[in-house]
Amino acid sequence: MAVAGRWAVQLLAGPAYTYRQLSGQPETSSPPVAPLERAAVGYSAQLSGQYAATPRLALSLGAGYTEFATRLNLIVPTYKPEYTSFRYTKIFFNNGRYDTLRVSDSTMTMRRDSSRLVRQRDTYRFLTVPVQVQYRLGTTGRFSYQAVLGASLNLYVGGRTTQNGEDCRCEQRTWGPSGSPFRVANVGLLAGLGVEYRLTGRWQLLAQPTFHYSLTPVSRSSEVYTRRPFGLGLQTGVRLQLP
């Protein structure tokens, strides 16, 4: 059996149940729909190199991708104009005497006609540079258990968010890495646990439930809420110990 060294390469990926923390008040006259958002499933993946500093302590650095998401379900009413006709008498002075004139007119009101269901998914996508510390808590047979702490530099690469529109406050807009109301970079924290199963002397299967939180806000515009995405996820994958 090959003897594993201190270095390893690991690949992890999986879903996460994500949401966001809102703070502040947008500088807009229309009330936004952001407070009505609910949690949704996002995704993440990372490839990293790991160095075992001691038999229990390991450090890793890598590159990855993370998507935070929320969902929005709205019932938007639609209206149509309704006209009401009426007649009234107009009195005016004409050549030394009063005359009357019957005038026809109408008023318009907007009457609720029907409703439409709006189902939308907002997304925030980042390239990440995660740095993690893993501490081995114990071993049982082929299984071992770790505590995981770390941070990541998150680079915004695009997404889709709900904006105030003309007919309702529920129009979506797609953003790129530039020209968006979101910061180019932010810092995230993560904490979790890890479970390993040793297949061979060099290969392990991994399962790592973690909690991610954006330490710095992702929004920078005064027209939107200050947002801090967070998520609880489960990444699974493999690790290869290098000789």
Side-chain angles (χ1 to χ4, degrees):
M1 182 175 64
V3 178
R6 289 179 176 266
W7 290 95
V9 177
Q10 64 182 25
L11 175 65
L12 293 167
Y17 197 56
T18 64
Y19 200 36
R20 80 291 174 273
Q21 177 188 357
L22 294 180
S23 60
Q25 179 64 42
E27 296 178 3
T28 176
S29 58
S30 300
V33 297
L36 303 177
E37 294 172 346
R38 296 295 178 263
V41 176
Y43 305 93
S44 64
Q46 67 178 53
L47 176 66
S48 59
Q50 185 185 75
Y51 175 75
T54 71
R56 287 184 174 268
L57 185 66
L59 309 175
S60 66
L61 173 66
Y65 168 86
T66 296
E67 178 192 77
F68 295 95
T70 59
R71 58 183 173 85
L72 183 64
N73 296 337
L74 293 176
I75 296 178
V76 180
T78 58
Y79 297 87
K80 70 176 183 179
E82 186 176 77
Y83 297 90
T84 303
S85 300
F86 61 92
R87 296 172 63 87
Y88 65 94
T89 301
K90 183 178 181 180
I91 302 175
F92 60 95
F93 192 74
N94 182 27
N95 295 329
R97 64 186 182 88
Y98 288 97
D99 286 337
T100 60
L101 178 66
R102 296 288 291 175
V103 179
S104 298
D105 204 347
S106 64
T107 60
M108 184 191 73
T109 57
M110 298 300 294
R111 185 176 64 85
R112 182 167 177 170
D113 180 42
S114 62
S115 300
R116 62 185 177 94
L117 179 62
V118 176
R119 296 180 182 270
Q120 296 180 163
R121 184 173 184 268
D122 287 11
T123 57
Y124 309 85
R125 296 182 285 111
F126 300 92
L127 294 179
T128 62
V129 182
V131 180
Q132 297 181 13
V133 177
Q134 298 176 351
Y135 183 79
R136 189 179 303 274
L137 300 174
T139 302
T140 303
R142 289 178 174 264
F143 288 94
S144 60
Y145 313 94
Q146 304 91 30
V148 181
L149 293 174
S152 64
L153 174 64
N154 304 324
L155 304 175
Y156 183 76
V157 294
R160 186 172 65 249
T161 59
T162 300
Q163 308 293 315
N164 289 348
E166 294 182 357
D167 60 340
C168 74
R169 300 182 300 276
C170 55
E171 293 187 3
Q172 282 200 315
R173 180 170 178 180
T174 300
W175 305 101
S178 62
S180 77
F182 304 104
R183 299 177 187 273
V184 175
N186 70 87
V187 177
L189 299 178
L190 65 92
L193 298 173
V195 179
E196 296 180 8
Y197 178 78
R198 185 174 296 277
L199 288 175
T200 67
R202 296 176 57 187
W203 286 95
Q204 296 97 38
L205 297 179
L206 310 176
Q208 187 171 293
T210 53
F211 177 78
H212 295 256
Y213 177 76
S214 294
L215 184 63
T216 56
V218 300
S219 52
R220 62 183 176 186
S221 172
S222 61
E223 296 181 357
V224 297
Y225 277 97
T226 299
R227 295 174 178 265
R228 287 182 170 88
F230 59 87
L232 179 62
L234 175 63
Q235 290 186 323
T236 58
V238 294
R239 177 189 295 129
L240 172 63
Q241 297 289 147
L242 301 180

